Amino acid sequence: MDAFFEQLKHPNPNMRNRAMVDIIDNRDETTIPRLMSALDAEDTTYRRAAVKTLGAVGLDAVPAIVEALANSENVTVRGSCAKALAQVALNYPDEPFPELGLQGLKQSLNDPNPVVHIASAMALGEIGNAALDILLESLQTTDNLALSVSIVNALASVGGDQASEVLAKLADDDSVNGYVKETAISALSRMEMVQNFSRPKE
């Protein structure tokens, strides 16, 4: 296992991916805590590889990730936790995302650090429909401009009629901050492109 963890630091992404697979295949009770302890590593490559591996571990890793997201004093760790939850959603799109994870991300949208709240909004966008209510509620209650912009982008990732409707309202509302409005307009056109692209050809 030590050798696999060492290989997560390898400059070659193929070697890191192989190490990820080996870690998952040989998982034991130390795997998740060990990956969690890498989230404040100075080595960015190692830290990102740990985030990806936690995402590949999946739903079992969510409680430990949420715990650190809520309680770590280290901004890098909290940001990495939000990204790890996004990776879980990416790796397991057909599994219902745990309520614990949703609530953890809802809390971290209020994190004072932009690295954390922006990563949290992106993670909720990755989770999709299950996160829609949280995103819509936060959009109405926040007065943080950077977070509003991140939520608008996350809504575009979620997609669907409800998200489109909210974005269209923002795009048409002259009382909305200009930057948020611009983001809503470009998010809408991005959603349309995705819909056209995924539509079956005649």
Side-chain angles (χ1 to χ4, degrees):
M1 203 47 125
D2 289 349
F4 300 148
F5 270 86
E6 201 51 45
Q7 201 174 312
L8 281 182
K9 303 173 185 175
H10 201 285
N12 181 330
N14 295 328
M15 296 296 279
R16 294 198 300 274
N17 287 340
R18 194 173 305 163
M20 266 174 58
V21 172
D22 288 334
I23 289 168
I24 304 291
D25 286 349
N26 295 279
R27 240 182 94 183
D28 61 18
E29 68 284 352
T30 67
T31 305
I32 292 172
R34 201 165 169 178
L35 288 166
M36 292 300 300
S37 69
L39 295 184
D40 64 351
E42 291 282 317
D43 179 343
T44 314
T45 301
Y46 182 39
R47 195 169 68 232
R48 286 183 181 150
V51 165
K52 277 186 76 171
T53 310
L54 281 164
V57 167
L59 305 186
D60 289 351
V62 168
I65 298 170
V66 170
E67 166 73 20
L69 178 62
N71 299 315
S72 174
E73 291 181 4
N74 184 320
V75 159
T76 305
V77 169
R78 297 201 306 277
S80 294
C81 285
K83 290 171 188 165
L85 290 171
Q87 288 289 327
V88 171
L90 257 174
N91 280 297
Y92 295 92
D94 300 329
E95 300 278 342
F97 199 82
E99 187 60 29
L100 179 71
L102 286 167
Q103 292 309 316
L105 287 166
K106 182 179 181 177
Q107 291 303 316
S108 60
L109 284 175
N110 300 315
D111 194 287
N113 192 287
V115 167
V116 182
H117 61 240
I118 289 169
S120 300
M122 284 169 63
L124 287 163
E126 205 58 66
I127 290 163
N129 274 328
L132 190 58
D133 288 346
I134 293 173
L135 288 167
L136 295 175
E137 186 190 323
S138 300
L139 186 61
Q140 286 173 336
T141 54
T142 188
D143 50 10
N144 178 332
L145 180 59
L147 179 58
S148 296
V149 167
S150 301
I151 290 173
V152 167
N153 283 320
L155 287 171
S157 299
V158 173
D161 293 345
Q162 203 178 347
S164 292
E165 213 172 288
V166 172
L167 292 174
K169 274 185 189 159
L170 287 173
D172 284 343
D173 186 347
D174 289 334
S175 68
V176 169
N177 172 283
Y179 194 37
V180 174
K181 186 173 167 140
E182 284 298 314
T183 309
I185 291 166
S186 67
L188 271 172
S189 66
R190 205 165 65 240
M191 281 173 73
E192 279 165 22
M193 274 170 60
V194 170
Q195 278 166 355
N196 292 337
F197 189 71
S198 56
R199 212 170 271 152
K201 299 281 180 283
E202 292 301 325

Coordinates of all heavy atoms in Angstrom, one line a residue, residues 96-174:
P96 N -27.8 7.5 -5.7 CA -28.4 8.7 -5.1 C -27.3 9.3 -4.2 O -26.6 8.6 -3.4 CB -29.5 8.2 -4.2 CG -29.8 6.8 -4.6 CD -28.6 6.3 -5.3
F97 N -27.1 10.6 -4.3 CA -26.0 11.2 -3.6 C -26.4 11.3 -2.1 O -27.6 11.7 -1.8 CB -25.7 12.6 -4.1 CG -24.3 13.1 -3.7 CD1 -23.2 12.7 -4.3 CD2 -24.2 14.0 -2.6 CE1 -22.0 13.2 -3.9 CE2 -23.0 14.4 -2.2 CZ -21.8 14.0 -2.9
P98 N -25.6 11.0 -1.1 CA -26.0 10.9 0.3 C -26.4 12.3 0.8 O -25.8 13.3 0.5 CB -24.7 10.5 1.0 CG -23.9 9.9 0.0 CD -24.2 10.5 -1.3
E99 N -27.5 12.3 1.5 CA -28.1 13.5 2.1 C -27.0 14.2 3.0 O -26.9 15.5 3.0 CB -29.3 13.2 3.0 CG -30.0 14.4 3.6 CD -30.6 15.3 2.5 OE1 -30.9 14.8 1.3 OE2 -30.7 16.5 2.8
L100 N -26.2 13.4 3.7 CA -25.1 14.0 4.5 C -24.2 14.9 3.6 O -23.8 16.0 4.0 CB -24.3 12.8 5.1 CG -23.1 13.2 6.0 CD1 -23.6 13.8 7.3 CD2 -22.2 12.0 6.3
G101 N -23.9 14.4 2.4 CA -23.0 15.1 1.5 C -23.7 16.4 1.0 O -23.0 17.5 1.0
L102 N -24.9 16.3 0.7 CA -25.7 17.5 0.3 C -25.7 18.6 1.4 O -25.5 19.8 1.1 CB -27.1 17.1 -0.1 CG -27.3 16.4 -1.4 CD1 -28.7 15.8 -1.5 CD2 -27.1 17.3 -2.6
Q103 N -26.0 18.1 2.6 CA -26.1 19.1 3.7 C -24.7 19.7 4.0 O -24.6 20.9 4.3 CB -26.7 18.4 5.0 CG -28.1 18.1 4.8 CD -29.0 19.2 4.3 OE1 -28.9 20.4 4.8 NE2 -29.9 19.0 3.4
G104 N -23.7 18.9 3.9 CA -22.3 19.4 4.1 C -21.9 20.5 3.1 O -21.4 21.5 3.4
L105 N -22.3 20.3 1.8 CA -22.0 21.2 0.8 C -22.9 22.5 1.0 O -22.5 23.6 0.7 CB -22.2 20.6 -0.6 CG -21.2 19.7 -1.0 CD1 -21.6 18.8 -2.2 CD2 -19.8 20.4 -1.3
K106 N -24.1 22.3 1.4 CA -25.0 23.4 1.7 C -24.4 24.4 2.7 O -24.3 25.6 2.6 CB -26.4 22.9 2.2 CG -27.4 24.1 2.4 CD -28.7 23.5 2.9 CE -29.7 24.7 3.1 NZ -31.0 24.2 3.5
Q107 N -23.8 23.7 3.8 CA -23.1 24.5 4.8 C -21.9 25.2 4.2 O -21.7 26.4 4.5 CB -22.7 23.6 6.0 CG -23.8 23.0 6.8 CD -24.7 24.1 7.4 OE1 -24.2 25.1 8.0 NE2 -26.0 23.9 7.3
S108 N -21.2 24.5 3.4 CA -19.9 25.1 3.0 C -20.1 26.1 1.9 O -19.1 26.8 1.5 CB -18.9 24.0 2.5 OG -19.4 23.3 1.5
L109 N -21.3 26.3 1.4 CA -21.6 27.4 0.5 C -21.4 28.7 1.3 O -21.1 29.8 0.7 CB -23.0 27.4 -0.1 CG -23.3 26.4 -1.2 CD1 -24.8 26.4 -1.5 CD2 -22.5 26.7 -2.4
N110 N -21.5 28.7 2.6 CA -21.3 29.9 3.4 C -19.9 30.0 4.0 O -19.7 30.9 4.8 CB -22.3 29.8 4.6 CG -23.7 29.8 4.1 OD1 -24.1 30.5 3.2 ND2 -24.5 28.9 4.7
D111 N -19.0 29.2 3.5 CA -17.6 29.2 4.0 C -17.1 30.6 3.6 O -17.3 31.1 2.5 CB -16.8 28.2 3.3 CG -15.4 28.0 4.0 OD1 -14.5 28.8 3.8 OD2 -15.3 27.0 4.7
P112 N -16.3 31.3 4.5 CA -15.8 32.6 4.2 C -14.8 32.6 3.1 O -14.5 33.7 2.5 CB -15.2 33.1 5.5 CG -15.0 31.8 6.3 CD -16.1 30.9 5.9
N113 N -14.2 31.5 2.8 CA -13.1 31.4 1.8 C -13.7 31.1 0.4 O -14.4 30.1 0.2 CB -12.1 30.4 2.2 CG -10.8 30.5 1.3 OD1 -10.9 30.2 0.2 ND2 -9.8 31.1 1.9
P114 N -13.4 32.0 -0.6 CA -13.9 31.7 -1.9 C -13.5 30.4 -2.6 O -14.3 29.8 -3.3 CB -13.4 32.9 -2.8 CG -12.3 33.6 -1.9 CD -12.6 33.2 -0.5
V115 N -12.3 29.9 -2.2 CA -11.9 28.6 -2.8 C -12.9 27.6 -2.4 O -13.3 26.7 -3.2 CB -10.5 28.3 -2.3 CG1 -10.2 26.8 -2.5 CG2 -9.4 29.2 -2.8
V116 N -13.4 27.7 -1.2 CA -14.3 26.6 -0.6 C -15.7 26.8 -1.2 O -16.3 25.9 -1.6 CB -14.3 26.6 0.9 CG1 -15.1 25.5 1.5 CG2 -12.8 26.5 1.4
H117 N -16.2 28.0 -1.1 CA -17.6 28.2 -1.5 C -17.8 28.0 -3.0 O -18.8 27.5 -3.5 CB -18.3 29.4 -0.9 CG -17.8 30.7 -1.3 ND1 -17.3 31.6 -0.3 CD2 -17.7 31.3 -2.5 CE1 -17.0 32.7 -0.9 NE2 -17.2 32.6 -2.2
I118 N -16.8 28.4 -3.8 CA -16.9 28.2 -5.2 C -16.8 26.7 -5.6 O -17.6 26.2 -6.4 CB -15.8 29.0 -6.0 CG1 -16.2 30.5 -5.9 CG2 -15.7 28.6 -7.4 CD1 -15.1 31.5 -6.3
A119 N -15.9 26.0 -4.9 CA -15.8 24.5 -5.2 C -17.0 23.8 -4.7 O -17.5 22.8 -5.3 CB -14.6 24.0 -4.4
S120 N -17.7 24.3 -3.7 CA -18.9 23.7 -3.1 C -20.1 23.9 -4.1 O -20.8 22.9 -4.4 CB -19.3 24.3 -1.8 OG -18.3 24.1 -0.9
A121 N -20.2 25.1 -4.7 CA -21.2 25.3 -5.7 C -21.0 24.4 -6.9 O -21.9 23.8 -7.5 CB -21.2 26.8 -6.1
M122 N -19.7 24.3 -7.3 CA -19.4 23.4 -8.5 C -19.8 22.0 -8.2 O -20.3 21.3 -9.1 CB -17.9 23.5 -8.9 CG -17.6 24.8 -9.6 SD -15.8 25.1 -9.7 CE -15.3 23.6 -10.7
A123 N -19.5 21.5 -7.0 CA -19.8 20.1 -6.6 C -21.3 19.9 -6.6 O -21.8 18.9 -7.1 CB -19.3 19.9 -5.2
L124 N -22.1 20.9 -6.2 CA -23.6 20.8 -6.2 C -24.1 20.7 -7.6 O -25.0 20.0 -8.0 CB -24.2 21.9 -5.4 CG -24.1 21.8 -3.9 CD1 -24.3 23.2 -3.2 CD2 -25.0 20.7 -3.3
G125 N -23.4 21.5 -8.5 CA -23.8 21.4 -9.9 C -23.5 20.1 -10.5 O -24.3 19.6 -11.3
E126 N -22.4 19.4 -10.1 CA -22.1 18.1 -10.5 C -23.1 17.0 -10.0 O -23.4 16.1 -10.7 CB -20.6 17.8 -10.0 CG -19.9 16.8 -10.8 CD -19.7 17.2 -12.2 OE1 -19.0 18.2 -12.5 OE2 -20.3 16.5 -13.1
I127 N -23.6 17.2 -8.8 CA -24.5 16.3 -8.2 C -25.9 16.3 -9.0 O -26.5 15.3 -9.2 CB -24.8 16.6 -6.7 CG1 -23.5 16.3 -6.0 CG2 -26.0 15.8 -6.2 CD1 -23.5 16.9 -4.6
G128 N -26.2 17.5 -9.5 CA -27.4 17.6 -10.4 C -28.7 17.8 -9.6 O -28.7 18.6 -8.7
N129 N -29.8 17.2 -10.1 CA -31.1 17.5 -9.6 C -31.3 17.5 -8.1 O -32.0 18.3 -7.6 CB -32.2 16.6 -10.3 CG -32.6 17.1 -11.6 OD1 -32.7 18.3 -11.8 ND2 -32.9 16.2 -12.6
A130 N -30.6 16.5 -7.5 CA -30.8 16.4 -6.0 C -30.3 17.6 -5.3 O -30.7 17.9 -4.2 CB -30.0 15.2 -5.5
A131 N -29.4 18.4 -6.0 CA -28.9 19.6 -5.3 C -29.6 20.9 -5.8 O -29.3 22.0 -5.3 CB -27.4 19.7 -5.7
L132 N -30.6 20.8 -6.6 CA -31.2 22.0 -7.2 C -31.8 22.9 -6.2 O -31.6 24.1 -6.2 CB -32.3 21.5 -8.2 CG -32.9 22.6 -9.1 CD1 -31.8 23.3 -9.9 CD2 -33.9 22.0 -10.1
D133 N -32.6 22.3 -5.2 CA -33.2 23.2 -4.2 C -32.2 23.9 -3.4 O -32.4 25.1 -3.0 CB -34.1 22.3 -3.3 CG -35.4 21.8 -4.0 OD1 -35.7 22.3 -5.1 OD2 -36.0 20.9 -3.5
I134 N -31.1 23.3 -3.0 CA -30.1 24.0 -2.3 C -29.5 25.1 -3.0 O -29.3 26.2 -2.5 CB -28.9 23.0 -1.9 CG1 -29.5 21.9 -0.9 CG2 -27.7 23.7 -1.3 CD1 -28.5 20.8 -0.6
L135 N -29.2 24.9 -4.3 CA -28.7 26.0 -5.2 C -29.6 27.1 -5.3 O -29.2 28.3 -5.2 CB -28.3 25.4 -6.5 CG -27.1 24.5 -6.6 CD1 -27.0 23.8 -7.9 CD2 -25.8 25.3 -6.4
L136 N -30.9 26.8 -5.5 CA -31.9 27.9 -5.7 C -32.1 28.7 -4.4 O -32.2 29.9 -4.5 CB -33.2 27.3 -6.2 CG -33.2 26.6 -7.6 CD1 -34.6 26.0 -7.8 CD2 -32.9 27.6 -8.7
E137 N -32.1 28.0 -3.3 CA -32.3 28.7 -2.0 C -31.1 29.6 -1.7 O -31.3 30.7 -1.3 CB -32.4 27.6 -0.9 CG -32.7 28.2 0.5 CD -32.6 27.2 1.6 OE1 -33.0 26.0 1.3 OE2 -32.2 27.5 2.7
S138 N -29.9 29.1 -2.0 CA -28.7 29.9 -1.7 C -28.6 31.1 -2.6 O -28.2 32.1 -2.2 CB -27.4 29.0 -1.9 OG -27.5 27.9 -1.0
L139 N -29.1 30.9 -3.9 CA -29.0 32.0 -4.8 C -29.9 33.2 -4.3 O -29.6 34.3 -4.5 CB -29.5 31.5 -6.2 CG -29.4 32.5 -7.3 CD1 -28.0 33.0 -7.6 CD2 -30.0 31.9 -8.6
Q140 N -31.0 32.8 -3.7 CA -32.0 33.8 -3.2 C -31.5 34.5 -1.9 O -31.8 35.6 -1.6 CB -33.3 33.2 -2.9 CG -34.1 32.9 -4.2 CD -35.4 32.2 -4.0 OE1 -35.5 31.5 -3.0 NE2 -36.3 32.3 -4.9
T141 N -30.7 33.7 -1.1 CA -30.3 34.2 0.2 C -28.9 34.9 0.3 O -28.7 35.6 1.2 CB -30.4 33.1 1.3 OG1 -29.6 32.0 0.9 CG2 -31.8 32.7 1.5
T142 N -28.1 34.6 -0.6 CA -26.7 35.1 -0.5 C -26.6 36.5 -1.0 O -27.3 36.9 -1.9 CB -25.7 34.2 -1.3 OG1 -24.4 34.6 -0.9 CG2 -25.8 34.2 -2.8
D143 N -25.7 37.3 -0.4 CA -25.3 38.6 -0.9 C -23.9 38.6 -1.4 O -23.2 39.6 -1.6 CB -25.6 39.7 0.1 CG -25.0 39.4 1.4 OD1 -24.2 38.4 1.5 OD2 -25.3 40.1 2.4
N144 N -23.3 37.3 -1.5 CA -21.9 37.2 -2.0 C -21.9 37.1 -3.5 O -22.4 36.1 -4.1 CB -21.4 35.9 -1.3 CG -20.0 35.6 -1.7 OD1 -19.5 36.0 -2.8 ND2 -19.2 35.0 -0.8
L145 N -21.3 38.0 -4.1 CA -21.4 38.1 -5.6 C -20.7 36.9 -6.3 O -21.2 36.3 -7.2 CB -20.7 39.4 -6.1 CG -20.7 39.6 -7.6 CD1 -22.1 39.6 -8.2 CD2 -20.0 41.0 -7.9
A146 N -19.5 36.6 -5.7 CA -18.7 35.4 -6.3 C -19.5 34.1 -6.2 O -19.5 33.3 -7.1 CB -17.4 35.3 -5.6
L147 N -20.2 34.0 -5.1 CA -21.0 32.8 -4.9 C -22.2 32.8 -5.8 O -22.5 31.7 -6.4 CB -21.4 32.7 -3.4 CG -22.3 31.4 -3.1 CD1 -21.6 30.1 -3.4 CD2 -22.7 31.4 -1.6
S148 N -22.8 33.9 -6.0 CA -24.0 34.0 -6.9 C -23.6 33.6 -8.3 O -24.3 32.8 -9.0 CB -24.5 35.4 -7.0 OG -25.0 35.8 -5.7
V149 N -22.4 34.0 -8.8 CA -21.9 33.7 -10.1 C -21.7 32.2 -10.2 O -22.0 31.5 -11.2 CB -20.7 34.5 -10.4 CG1 -19.9 34.0 -11.6 CG2 -21.0 36.0 -10.6
S150 N -21.1 31.6 -9.1 CA -20.8 30.2 -9.1 C -22.0 29.4 -9.1 O -22.1 28.3 -9.8 CB -20.0 29.8 -7.8 OG -18.8 30.5 -7.8
I151 N -23.1 29.8 -8.4 CA -24.3 29.1 -8.4 C -25.0 29.2 -9.7 O -25.6 28.2 -10.2 CB -25.3 29.7 -7.3 CG1 -24.7 29.4 -5.9 CG2 -26.7 29.1 -7.4 CD1 -25.5 30.0 -4.7
V152 N -24.9 30.3 -10.4 CA -25.5 30.4 -11.7 C -24.9 29.4 -12.7 O -25.5 28.7 -13.4 CB -25.4 31.8 -12.3 CG1 -25.7 31.9 -13.8 CG2 -26.3 32.8 -11.5
N153 N -23.5 29.3 -12.6 CA -22.8 28.3 -13.4 C -23.2 26.9 -13.0 O -23.3 26.0 -13.9 CB -21.3 28.5 -13.3 CG -20.8 29.7 -14.1 OD1 -21.3 29.9 -15.3 ND2 -19.9 30.5 -13.6
A154 N -23.4 26.7 -11.7 CA -23.8 25.3 -11.3 C -25.2 24.9 -11.8 O -25.4 23.8 -12.1 CB -23.7 25.3 -9.7
L155 N -26.1 25.9 -11.8 CA -27.4 25.7 -12.3 C -27.4 25.2 -13.8 O -28.1 24.3 -14.2 CB -28.3 26.9 -12.2 CG -28.8 27.2 -10.8 CD1 -29.4 28.6 -10.7 CD2 -29.7 26.2 -10.2
A156 N -26.5 25.8 -14.5 CA -26.3 25.4 -15.9 C -25.8 24.0 -16.0 O -26.2 23.2 -16.9 CB -25.3 26.3 -16.6
S157 N -25.0 23.6 -15.1 CA -24.5 22.2 -15.0 C -25.6 21.2 -14.7 O -25.7 20.1 -15.2 CB -23.4 22.0 -14.0 OG -22.3 22.8 -14.3
V158 N -26.5 21.6 -13.8 CA -27.6 20.8 -13.4 C -28.6 20.6 -14.6 O -29.0 19.5 -15.0 CB -28.4 21.4 -12.2 CG1 -29.7 20.6 -12.0 CG2 -27.6 21.4 -11.0
G159 N -28.8 21.7 -15.3 CA -29.7 21.7 -16.5 C -31.2 21.4 -16.1 O -31.6 21.5 -15.0
G160 N -32.0 21.2 -17.1 CA -33.4 21.0 -16.9 C -34.2 22.2 -17.0 O -33.7 23.3 -17.0
D161 N -35.6 22.0 -17.0 CA -36.5 23.2 -17.2 C -36.5 24.2 -16.0 O -36.5 25.4 -16.3 CB -37.9 22.6 -17.3 CG -38.1 21.8 -18.6 OD1 -37.2 22.0 -19.5 OD2 -39.1 21.1 -18.7
Q162 N -36.4 23.7 -14.8 CA -36.4 24.6 -13.7 C -35.2 25.5 -13.6 O -35.3 26.7 -13.4 CB -36.5 23.8 -12.4 CG -37.1 24.6 -11.2 CD -37.3 23.8 -9.9 OE1 -37.1 22.6 -9.9 NE2 -37.5 24.5 -8.8
A163 N -34.1 24.9 -13.9 CA -32.8 25.7 -13.9 C -32.9 26.7 -15.0 O -32.5 27.9 -14.9 CB -31.6 24.8 -14.0
S164 N -33.4 26.3 -16.2 CA -33.5 27.2 -17.3 C -34.4 28.4 -17.0 O -34.1 29.5 -17.4 CB -34.1 26.5 -18.5 OG -33.3 25.5 -19.1
E165 N -35.5 28.1 -16.3 CA -36.5 29.1 -16.0 C -35.8 30.2 -15.1 O -36.0 31.4 -15.3 CB -37.6 28.4 -15.2 CG -39.0 29.1 -15.5 CD -40.0 28.2 -14.8 OE1 -40.3 27.1 -15.4 OE2 -40.5 28.6 -13.8
V166 N -35.1 29.7 -14.1 CA -34.4 30.6 -13.1 C -33.4 31.5 -13.8 O -33.3 32.7 -13.6 CB -33.8 29.8 -12.0 CG1 -33.0 30.7 -11.1 CG2 -34.9 29.1 -11.1
L167 N -32.6 30.8 -14.7 CA -31.6 31.5 -15.4 C -32.2 32.6 -16.4 O -31.7 33.7 -16.5 CB -30.7 30.6 -16.2 CG -29.8 29.7 -15.3 CD1 -29.1 28.6 -16.2 CD2 -28.8 30.4 -14.5
A168 N -33.3 32.2 -17.0 CA -33.9 33.1 -18.0 C -34.5 34.4 -17.2 O -34.3 35.5 -17.7 CB -35.1 32.4 -18.7
K169 N -35.0 34.1 -16.0 CA -35.5 35.3 -15.2 C -34.3 36.2 -14.8 O -34.5 37.4 -14.9 CB -36.1 34.8 -13.9 CG -37.6 34.4 -14.1 CD -38.2 34.0 -12.7 CE -39.6 33.5 -12.9 NZ -40.1 32.6 -11.8
L170 N -33.2 35.6 -14.4 CA -32.0 36.4 -14.1 C -31.5 37.2 -15.3 O -31.2 38.4 -15.2 CB -30.9 35.5 -13.5 CG -31.1 34.9 -12.2 CD1 -29.9 33.9 -11.9 CD2 -31.0 36.0 -11.1
A171 N -31.5 36.6 -16.4 CA -31.0 37.2 -17.6 C -31.9 38.4 -18.1 O -31.4 39.3 -18.7 CB -31.0 36.2 -18.8
D172 N -33.2 38.3 -17.7 CA -34.1 39.4 -18.1 C -34.3 40.5 -17.0 O -35.0 41.5 -17.3 CB -35.5 38.8 -18.4 CG -35.5 38.1 -19.7 OD1 -34.6 38.4 -20.5 OD2 -36.4 37.3 -19.9
D173 N -33.7 40.2 -15.8 CA -34.0 41.1 -14.7 C -32.9 42.2 -14.6 O -31.8 42.0 -14.3 CB -34.0 40.3 -13.4 CG -34.5 41.1 -12.2 OD1 -34.5 42.4 -12.3 OD2 -34.8 40.5 -11.2
D174 N -33.3 43.5 -14.9 CA -32.4 44.6 -14.8 C -31.9 45.0 -13.4 O -31.0 45.7 -13.3 CB -32.9 45.8 -15.6 CG -33.0 45.5 -17.1 OD1 -32.2 44.7 -17.6 OD2 -33.8 46.1 -17.8

